[in-house]
Amino acid sequence: MAVPDSADVRRDDGDAQKAIGVVPPSPPAASSAAAAEEASEGAAAPKKQKRAKKRPRTRRQIAQLRYVMIRDVESMIRSSDPAVRASAPSRARENIDRLEHLARETGDLSYRPDASMYNSLVRAHAKSGGRNAAKRAEDVLDAMREASTSTAKASADAEEGEDGIARMRPDAKTYTAVIDAWARSKDRDAPVRAERILFRMMDEAEDAARMAAADLPVPGGEVVLPTSATCDAVLNAWARRNSREGAESAERILARMEKLRDARGEADAEQQGSGASIRPTAYSYATVISAWARSRGGAEAAEKAEAVLTKMLAKGSAVRPNAVAFNAVIDAWSRSGDPRAGTKAVELLDRMEGLRRKAAVPEGDAEDDDAEDLRPDVITYNSVINALAATASSDPDAPRRAGEVFARLESDAGCPPPNVRSYNSLLKAWAKSRLPESAVKADEILRGMIDEAANKSGGDESDVRPDVVSFSTALDAWAKSDESGKATKARSLLDAMVEFHREAGPVKASNEGGKGDRSNGDDAVSCYNAVLNACALSANDPNPDERKRALEVSVSTFRACRQSSSAATGGGIRSRPDAVTYGTMLKCVSNLVPPGQTRDGMASSLFGRCRDDGLVSTMVLGQLRRAASPGAVDELLSSAAGGSGGKAVDISDLPKEWKKNAKERGGGRRGATGGSAAAGKRGGGGKNRKGGGRHHHKQGRGGRRSSDDGDEPLLPVMRGLTETSWQSGKDV
């Protein structure tokens, strides 16, 4: 067979490179020590040409060069530095350029980059975190498909033949890397794009299976079959959608995986080694179950998740469930909001342990492996406790049952000990319960965590250091309890948190891992807010001394929160007040101070400080109207409303400066809405905003301008209160 002309080879190389977006440099920049050495050798070549021709590399040496290049890119992909990962695609392109350059310079086609080099480029794009990373990865895939097709046509009569085609043909790893790139993408259409690539592979595989069954040649030659990993990447993309659509799409793909597996059959799998490659795995089923758990579909979604598990447990099933699958179903029930969630979760745990005991009968190593796969882990127990906690408000027995599951976790010798998530789920069960002893139990559990953490080193894997979630959950239990003196008890627990922070190290927002794992941040404000809420809800305490004490605690807690908003001193915890802090403090004034000038002065002072901090929200506005008299509200808000009464003022009518830092429960900051549009309707919007700005430096009735510490106007007012100076208000 004739060897293709070198000019044709160069032309084919250039077309493929253009399609992939690679322009060969002359000469390329060195990207590693090996590349630098090769470049120096290339530069010295013209001088040595007359004396001796450089010995060419062997195929083994060329393969080693590719290996070094790919390993270099992989090390960049796995770097913890985002900047290094972002530069990985450039390095992969440089490697491809270098090999193309060597192939042209030496005339040795063995240098030409193969599929592994382009797979390296695809993976680099997929893991780079770039905005269009997935699209660029898919562009490389399309270019490889096109180049392999054109090479097949050009090499039909060439000596290079099938070897040249295979060099550029994408394989299952290429497709999986591109699909994984789409799975990681935040693009709205990412799952659809990933599914489109997978279904194209599945269609080609099904067509090839039909042709093979009819003893007909497969058009285009060898077909790239999707693997389980390829399908799992698409399943994961749909599961991340967190919607019913995502769950239904994941289940549809799983069904097609099963169909394709059955269509190829076991005999075909033995002959070609391909049918088993797309067989759904336990991870595939667990991903579909997780998609239903995250779909926000309530009890229906939990039942569908359990149906997938039941399919795995059916007699004759090719895939047996493991702990991951059971954990996903338990998680689905814990998220369902169904009153049966706790009972269902415990039943699944019992069933899991029963299957493990049955599989543990010593009849062979395979059964021992199955038993180990079914062993409940700490995630299993935590999910069950969390499911029981979710039903604690309607099931008075849920906290006790959660405690029993917690005890099972502690006594399970084959499972790691309880972690902070275990304790937080148990705290949640008691905090959501309406039992009289709930707050006392939660307090005991949290103080036990503090004592245990104090006796362990920070590097202990069983470290149960309480985090902000732990403290805020226990404090919320005190706020909702009917205990007399709950404001004082809640403040005592807050003081214990500050002391623990000072003595044992920072109290983190979350010790459960992930993005919330940070210390000494503003997340601790939820703990101060919980104490303020306990004070506000003390209005119905039958003991007048406790009601008076609740007001004192609220003022001191509010002051402590404001003082901690600056840089923490003396090892103290740092927490910045938010809109909920001001709203809840206004609620304390409304519930604990009788109507009159004193109450108006306190409410006006609080609102003035809140306005200065840009934290006015819907909650703050509502609590202001409860705490202050209509006249005081009019005086505080009329300038912002263009002279109209305070009653007519909506949050959207207020200047942006008043609400720029306030976060509403629905999401973003309030400062981005309302404002100018509302002012425009009244006419002269700019004037009104100026008026609001002038009012920014005034105080309402009964108060002077807020000082820097912001709390002094409250203290003289509080000292004049009598034992009966409280008012029971309707809590919002």
Side-chain angles (χ1 to χ4, degrees), residues 6-83:
S6 60
D8 294 333
V9 172
R10 288 195 295 271
R11 184 166 59 253
D12 291 342
D13 287 345
D15 292 341
Q17 288 173 339
K18 282 182 182 178
I20 298 172
V22 176
V23 180
S26 181
S31 60
S32 63
E37 180 186 351
E38 181 68 20
S40 64
E41 290 172 359
K47 295 181 181 179
K48 296 181 180 179
Q49 226 168 8
K50 292 181 180 179
R51 283 174 291 185
K53 193 172 181 181
K54 182 176 168 58
R55 179 182 296 178
R57 279 192 174 100
T58 64
R59 284 181 176 266
R60 183 177 180 181
Q61 289 173 328
I62 294 172
Q64 288 175 338
L65 175 62
R66 288 199 193 96
Y67 173 76
V68 170
M69 288 178 167
I70 292 171
R71 190 175 62 178
D72 182 34
V73 174
E74 283 296 319
S75 67
M76 298 178 71
I77 291 173
R78 294 172 184 172
S79 172
S80 58
D81 186 349

Side-chain angles (χ1 to χ4, degrees), residues 446-463:
L446 180 56
R447 292 184 188 275
M449 290 177 71
I450 294 173
D451 293 341
E452 186 173 351
N455 295 328
K456 289 184 177 179
S457 62
D460 195 329
E461 65 177 0
S462 61
D463 187 18

